[in-house]
Amino acid sequence: MIDIDFGLDTFGDVPSDETGAPVSHARSIRQLVDEAVMADELGVDVFTVGEHHRPEYSVSSPETVLAGLATATRRIRLGSGVTVLSSDDPVRVFQRFATVDALSGGRAEVILGRGSFTESFPLFGYDMADYEVLFEEKIELFSRLLTEEPVTWSGTTRAPLTDADVFPKTEHGLSTWVGVGGSPQSVVRTAKYGFPLMLAIIGGQPQRFAPYLDLYRRAAEEFGTTAHPVGMHSPGFVADTDEEALEAWYPHFKVVRDRIGALRGWPPVTRSEFDREVASGSMYVGSAETVAQKMSRTIHDMGVGRFDMIYTSGTQSIKDRLRSVELYGTTVIPRVRELLAEMPARPSVVTA
């Protein structure tokens, strides 16, 4: 059986209250804390919080929220999903997550990414023309900071460092992943630095990403680094019945998807497209049994070592979100483990 970790992921979507009205950003953040505490109590392995700078999301500073979660939870690992390193400072990112690591007793992790939204670049004074070089230079610096030794570094995107010692130190190192949305170059870069790979699979058949796992392993072998178990995150929602889940999820999904689509030139999503994605794509919506069956097939076929479900989408009700977290922890995860145990062993290496 695959040794698998299960996580929940949120971008801090602003939910609606019992009257159907969106809550404030402040209440949205407090609600997120309640959901993370529930996930911790139910045995979910990881809880990650994404960084966004848009009105429909309440979390612009994941590590601040994670610091609060560190003192409210006991065992669950706490991470970003993702931290937009390109528009941040690697030294400050390390310091903030080292602080979360201290508060949580070693449960912090950071997932570095370039970001699928670009609002942070003008907000913090960065030029989109430097999109590639910003991430390349900053991930290289961040990899050096993880040694927790004095660092000498120079580049074009920030001031140089000379024997710079960064504090606080961690007790056992800072767990660091790289989030990738489908670029082969990003997969190779992740392997170059020896980081674990987190694939963002938010649409289409997940099996189309299988070649990236093979690329990651081959690149790590060539670089002489470690090929860690690969993770994936995909959207999902769990309710008591399939029909309830579909009807509760679709309206909010459509609003979010069409808003993004308007920015990126996509046509509005239709219900038939949504139903096809639920049936055969990488969207895990339905009853606990339906979601568990689909998750187990994907995990087995892909050979991933971690599955994070993006459990929030738009202005879902607080009640529905809490129920989804509850079913994921109490029913979906144990059922997926059962199903994986019944499946035949798969090859240790995924080939294209």
Side-chain angles (χ1 to χ4, degrees):
M1 186 184 74
I2 298 172
D3 184 15
I4 179 81
D5 285 337
F6 294 93
L8 285 169
D9 189 11
T10 177
F11 300 153
D13 306 68
V14 175
S16 59
D17 61 18
E18 58 278 1
T19 70
V23 304
S24 66
H25 286 109
R27 184 178 175 188
S28 176
I29 292 171
R30 293 192 293 269
Q31 178 59 37
L32 188 155
V33 173
D34 291 343
E35 291 156 5
V37 169
M38 175 185 284
D40 180 47
E41 293 171 347
L42 296 177
V44 179
D45 297 303
V46 194
F47 192 88
T48 63
V49 181
E51 174 191 346
H52 288 84
H53 303 270
R54 299 171 56 83
E56 63 266 38
Y57 302 117
S58 60
V59 179
S60 60
S61 177
E63 53 270 55
T64 306
V65 176
L66 297 174
L69 295 181
T71 60
T73 58
R74 298 180 297 106
R75 45 156 299 281
I76 197 168
R77 303 202 305 276
L78 304 168
S80 61
V82 299
T83 290
V84 185
L85 185 65
S86 304
S87 57
D88 211 327
D89 183 82
V91 174
R92 293 297 287 145
V93 171
F94 177 85
Q95 290 177 322
R96 295 194 296 261
F97 276 90
T99 302
V100 175
D101 201 60
L103 291 169
S104 65
R107 293 184 283 130
E109 62 179 44
V110 55
I111 303 179
L112 305 174
R114 296 188 293 178
S116 60
F117 291 97
T118 59
E119 288 84 2
S120 63
F121 288 81
L123 186 62
F124 299 124
Y126 291 98
D127 190 336
M128 283 298 298
D130 298 326
Y131 185 79
E132 295 293 340
V133 69
L134 281 166
F135 191 74
E136 186 62 62
E137 288 194 358
K138 291 184 177 187
I139 195 172
E140 195 271 337
L141 173 54
F142 197 84
S143 70
R144 295 198 194 184
L145 294 169
L146 289 173
T147 67
E148 305 197 30
E149 299 291 337
V151 171
T152 297
W153 177 91
S154 63
T156 63
T157 56
R158 58 150 291 150
L161 300 173
T162 302
D163 289 329
D165 212 359
V166 176
F167 306 99
K169 306 294 185 182
T170 68
E171 293 175 312
H172 305 290
L174 179 61
S175 176
T176 303
W177 296 62
V178 175
V180 173
S183 162
Q185 294 81 5
S186 296
V187 173
V188 172
R189 182 195 294 117
T190 303
K192 173 184 175 182
Y193 290 107
F195 291 134
L197 174 69
M198 177 63 71
L199 290 171
I201 307 178
I202 58 174
Q205 293 187 341
Q207 289 78 8
R208 67 193 172 94
F209 281 81
Y212 290 135
L213 278 77
D214 184 49
L215 175 62
Y216 172 68
R217 292 170 180 134
R218 289 188 286 108
E221 183 176 1
E222 291 185 15
F223 286 121
T225 57
T226 299
H228 302 273
V230 174
M232 63 173 285
H233 84 160
S234 294
F237 175 70
V238 193
D240 292 306
T241 67
D242 289 346
E243 182 179 6
E244 181 183 346
L246 293 169
E247 297 308 315
W249 178 266
Y250 175 68
H252 305 289
F253 167 79
K254 178 173 173 56
V255 170
V256 172
R257 168 62 171 73
D258 288 352
R259 184 183 294 121
I260 297 171
L263 297 172
R264 300 181 182 181
W266 303 339
V269 69
T270 65
R271 179 58 190 260
S272 61
E273 290 172 326
F274 169 77
D275 289 339
R276 285 197 300 271
E277 189 67 33
V278 171
S280 59
S282 197
M283 189 176 292
Y284 302 80
V285 180
S287 67
E289 180 64 20
T290 295
V291 171
Q293 290 281 349
K294 188 173 183 181
M295 279 177 54
S296 62
R297 289 193 299 271
T298 299
I299 291 166
H300 180 267
D301 291 348
M302 293 287 289
V304 295
R306 172 168 156 184
F307 185 102
D308 288 0
M309 188 176 80
I310 312 168
Y311 74 98
T312 59
S313 180
T315 55
Q316 298 166 281
S317 73
I318 290 172
K319 178 182 177 181
D320 285 347
R321 280 176 35 163
L322 285 168
R323 182 60 174 159
S324 185
V325 172
E326 179 184 9
L327 288 169
Y328 185 76
T330 60
T331 309
V332 172
I333 292 175
R335 181 59 175 147
V336 172
R337 294 193 186 280
E338 289 178 359
L339 292 167
L340 289 173
E342 297 169 357
M343 292 181 176
R346 61 181 310 284
S348 58
V349 176
V350 175
T351 57

